[in-house]
Amino acid sequence: MKIPEDAIIPESKLTRYLLVPKAKHDKSKFLAQAGFIRTNPDILKATIRVLIGISTATQDSTNEYGTFYRVAGLLTAPDGRQLSVVTIWLQRKTDGQFQFVTLKPNRGANDEIRTISRSRSDD
């Protein structure tokens, strides 16, 4: 299944959580490797939307809030750098709407940054 194009990605999830340095569970340093920083949250949001457009969602779990889904893949920055990530989504029980919950490095893959050559068509 695919996460719908109109899924909600709260601005505050990007600007107050993912792109902000934290003492514990910091994701900002990981994202900064590919140029995703607090001053450009729209680029990160657009890149997450690209990811859900090309990758399949897998149902993960269900609780009183709804059903959670995982979408794994590569976030590709405008300059071609890539990060292997897992995004978590909630299909809310109250209205059926999908909402972005979080993003984390894909520990099952190489979570090092990759530089991709734009001239190669097989990447």
Side-chain angles (χ1 to χ4, degrees):
M1 104 168 250
K2 295 277 189 185
I3 300 295
E5 289 180 13
D6 67 346
I8 298 166
I9 301 176
E11 188 81 15
S12 62
K13 184 62 76 166
L14 306 176
T15 60
R16 294 187 192 168
Y17 178 65
L18 290 175
L19 298 173
V20 176
K22 304 246 183 242
K24 286 184 141 188
H25 308 292
D26 179 49
K27 296 173 185 173
S28 67
K29 287 180 189 172
F30 173 72
L31 290 167
Q33 292 178 88
F36 299 113
I37 56 176
R38 196 170 187 184
T39 58
N40 65 10
D42 292 339
I43 295 172
L44 178 57
K45 183 185 278 189
T47 305
I48 291 169
R49 289 207 186 279
V50 169
L51 174 65
I52 64 171
I54 61 174
S55 300
T56 303
T58 305
Q59 187 173 335
D60 196 30
S61 62
T62 301
N63 67 16
E64 67 271 18
Y65 300 108
T67 303
F68 290 87
Y69 292 87
R70 301 167 63 87
V71 177
L74 296 173
L75 283 186
T76 303
D79 68 0
R81 293 179 288 174
Q82 295 183 317
L83 297 174
S84 182
V85 300
V86 175
T87 58
I88 308 298
W89 300 83
L90 171 66
Q91 183 177 23
R92 301 185 304 212
K93 187 181 277 186
T94 56
D95 60 7
Q97 180 71 42
F98 281 81
Q99 180 173 330
F100 176 73
V101 175
T102 197
L103 168 153
K104 57 187 177 182
N106 187 351
R107 299 292 181 198
N110 180 1
D111 53 304
E112 300 261 333
I113 191 168
R114 291 181 15 168
T115 303
I116 302 300
S117 168
R118 291 185 179 263
S119 62
R120 293 188 53 188
S121 61
D122 59 348
D123 281 339

